[in-house]
Amino acid sequence: MANNQKLSNLGTSDQDNSQGQLFVVATPIGNLEDITQRALNVLQSVDIIAAEDTRHTNKLLSHFSIKAKVIAVHDHNEKQKASELLGWLEQGLNVALVSDAGTPLISDPGYAVVNLCREQGASVSPIPGACAAIAAVSCSGLPTDRFQFIGFTPAKSKARQEFFVDAHNSGMTSIMYESTHRIMASLEDLKAALGGEQKVVLAKELTKSFETFFSGTVLELIAFLTEDPARQKGEIVLMLPGKQVSKSEVSPEAIKLIELLQSEMPLKKACGIAADYFNLKKNALYKAMLAQE
């Protein structure tokens, strides 16, 4: 029998009690104390837990003395499992979706499940908590007024270099994940794409015993990781500040157009129009104009 009554105060207020609910539950990224009390309550109460790796999730559940039915929903089977999960929700069962660490769907499985549930009108509710990308950027010292999460870097060298250039040219802080075995090759590509003096921030093993932040140039980071190869291991978040454009780099024609438009609209909208007209980056143009006001 579904635990709809027990879970009624954990989901949306308009939940139909005849239908089950899908909870997207964030789990620890390192320290087990990362988990929230609400997440524990949900995991304790749902009928089924859909996990990226059942072995990993069972260790978490065992630590908190939670007994539950756990099934595998991962990259290789989630499209098939999505309809099965939807069927359980339609039967009135409640389901928790978890990944191995952090918030599901953020470079982790779960999209096919959530997308199908939304399309079919099933109730989906977030149980927020740890996320490596947000934890990293909040302590990076890089601008956080505008940032983008762009997932894992590409596997091929040429694609990675283009990836880094596009991220930098966006004008905003870019957050990406990188694997242990590829970090050094990626940094060499970052150096080739943007130069060895480009600033970069690396965060690894967040909330774990060996949590590390390194801020410096690409060359300094390469030296830091080469000095002790053990530093290359662990869960890695790489962060790159966006390219800053000064007003002196903006064409007089673009500036004139923005100034004319400003009498009729906000600066940000004027910059957007000018950026489209002159094929410039809107965010970088906006920041350049703000810096000169």
Side-chain angles (χ1 to χ4, degrees), residues 107-184:
S107 279
D108 274 328
Y111 167 74
V113 173
V114 173
N115 184 51
L116 179 63
C117 288
R118 283 293 184 196
E119 283 183 347
Q120 297 303 314
S123 178
V124 183
S125 184
I127 308 298
C131 175
I134 298 301
V137 76
S138 69
C139 295
S140 67
L142 297 177
T144 55
D145 55 334
R146 288 182 62 82
F147 60 85
Q148 59 180 355
F149 172 67
I150 50 179
F152 279 91
T153 66
K156 302 292 185 180
S157 176
K158 182 180 178 182
R160 271 199 303 266
Q161 291 184 32
E162 293 172 351
F163 179 83
F164 290 135
V165 170
D166 288 344
H168 187 53
N169 286 343
S170 72
M172 67 182 85
T173 297
S174 294
I175 311 162
M176 62 205 84
Y177 292 160
E178 188 51 282
S179 62
T180 297
H181 69 274
R182 213 166 60 195
I183 182 61
M184 299 309 294

Side-chain angles (χ1 to χ4, degrees), residues 169-171 243 245-247 249-258 270-286 288-289:
N169 286 343
S170 72
K243 181 180 180 181
V245 179
S246 68
K247 194 172 179 179
E249 297 178 74
V250 181
S251 70
E253 292 82 3
I255 293 173
K256 184 176 180 180
L257 176 57
I258 292 169
C271 287
I273 294 172
D276 288 340
Y277 189 81
F278 291 103
N279 194 27
L280 301 170
K281 297 290 182 180
K282 180 175 69 175
N283 293 330
L285 183 57
Y286 178 61
M289 296 300 294

